[in-house]
Amino acid sequence: MSSTSVPAQPNQVDPARGAQQNAVVELMRIAPVADELAQRFAAAGHRLYLVGGSVRDALLGRPLTDLDFTTDARPEQVRTLLTGWAEAIWDTGIAFGTLGAVKRGATVEITTFRADSYDRVGRNPEVVFGETIEADLVRRDFTVNAMAVQLPAKTFVDPHDGAAALVARVLDTPATPEESFADDPLRMLRACRFVAQLGFEVAPRVLTAMREMAGEIQRITAERVQAELSKLLCGAQPRRGLELLVDTGLAEYVLPEVPAMRLAIDEHHQHKDVYHHSLVVLDQAIALEEPDNSPDLVLRLAALLHDVGKPDTRRFEPGGGVSFHHHEVVGAKMARKRLRALKYSKEITEAVAQLVYLHLRFHGYGKGEWTDSAVRRYVTDAGPMLSRLHKLVRADCTTRNKRKAAALQRTYDDLEVRIDRIAAEEDLRRVRPDLDGNAIMELLGLPPGPLVGKAWTFLKELRLDRGPLAPEEAEVELLAWAKEQGLQPPDRG
């Protein structure tokens, strides 16, 4: 165990020691809030430690805004100590010993030492408050999250050599990985997430345990799995996290459609398989994201899942070819089903399914053969997903033939120019019939009902085919349609 008070001047001889010192330097930068809180706890006879991800991120030089603390004070004592100091307090986690507060823009969470026990059937532990920092740290997920800094003395506490693991960029567990994952199987998914977020490797014994215990993830609720998966996908290197998810067998329970893609040969015969192709598309889609914006979860999910329909639609053609007819239709249904099972919101689920459904549409464009009507339909069907669809289609070009790749990109450039031109002329993002529902009912003498909806749809299709019509021309077309439907519009005399 390492428990040392270190000076603020770093000693670079020992990387782990230097990391400890850097953590204290970072802590001193945010010291006003942390020190004020520590002084209050010390005056009341309680110990307070900055702990977990806050210490890890300080060591990594990542910005600290949310601060995690642990203490020997019980929750009601913590509430008393926060009252009068914090600007706001919340106790939604008090059953697990956690209270939160805000002070001068900093969010703090303070949790009483824990020494929980698990029934290893569900995930929720029997909450037991502990007495020592050492007992609290040994129950944490990984050694890089099992470090603490005691305040106000700024004594570094590292009983499991987390600083050395951080320098080595290795994820290991304080207890044996079998014990840790049996207590909380979600930790296996968190390992994949940290690989994606931080670029770490998992220790060999952790990798072995993940492979042997992958099925235990079924104990975890879909909501918790989804939260970790989303963080993984929004990490700096999601491909690495996904590869670990697949290699350990966890994906068979979390996203089985992804490892299933290893069974399909890509139709271009230029990739190991569709799984590998999808990871390349994910990388390329991320590269097209706006640099100043947050990671685009919808785009990343769509890039990963755009070809999930290929295994179910694979056909071996005479002469040795392989086809995947209508895989975008099957894939959209599969993506929708999986995202619903993972409890993603309806908005995210439908957006991803629509992108999967539309990702092949562009390949009918040829060398620009689409009519303006086809361009309008492309834009209208994409709706608010158009910008993402542009990125997905471009990312889906993974051919190693540089000439072919350049030609595809130029063709898509041409499509985007046409979209911009027509949009400027017609405001494509708000394509609506040239007559509204009230005008339709008045012209045809109809009450509100399904026939009005059918007439509205007819006019919208006409608008997509021919562009904007003058009201008089739209009325003539609608009356002709009504006659074909056997309707008798009133005499307008």
Side-chain angles (χ1 to χ4, degrees), residues 273-291:
D273 50 30
V274 176
Y275 164 68
H276 176 79
H277 163 76
S278 297
L279 295 180
V280 173
V281 173
L282 174 62
D283 284 340
Q284 295 185 169
I286 291 170
L288 293 173
E289 289 180 350
E290 304 300 329

Side-chain angles (χ1 to χ4, degrees), residues 122-154:
R123 176 176 184 268
N124 292 331
E126 177 186 349
V127 177
V128 177
F129 296 134
E131 301 296 333
T132 67
I133 184 64
E134 292 78 15
D136 181 271
L137 294 178
V138 75
R139 56 167 289 279
R140 293 178 179 264
D141 55 2
F142 300 106
T143 61
V144 295
N145 295 329
M147 300 175 285
V149 177
Q150 185 176 10
L151 302 172
K154 298 184 176 65

Side-chain angles (χ1 to χ4, degrees), residues 149-216:
V149 177
Q150 185 176 10
L151 302 172
K154 298 184 176 65
T155 301
F156 198 89
V157 181
D158 186 12
H160 305 287
D161 295 322
L166 201 67
V167 170
R169 307 186 76 77
V170 170
L171 287 174
D172 204 348
T173 51
T176 67
E178 290 78 10
E179 291 177 287
S180 182
F181 300 155
D183 282 348
D184 184 359
L186 189 66
R187 290 170 176 171
M188 294 185 287
L189 196 50
R190 284 170 62 84
C192 299
R193 189 246 290 187
F194 285 130
V195 166
Q197 285 184 326
L198 304 175
F200 285 14
E201 301 284 349
V202 294
R205 68 172 190 160
V206 171
L207 182 62
T208 297
M210 290 172 70
R211 286 172 172 162
E212 293 176 350
M213 302 178 69
E216 293 294 308

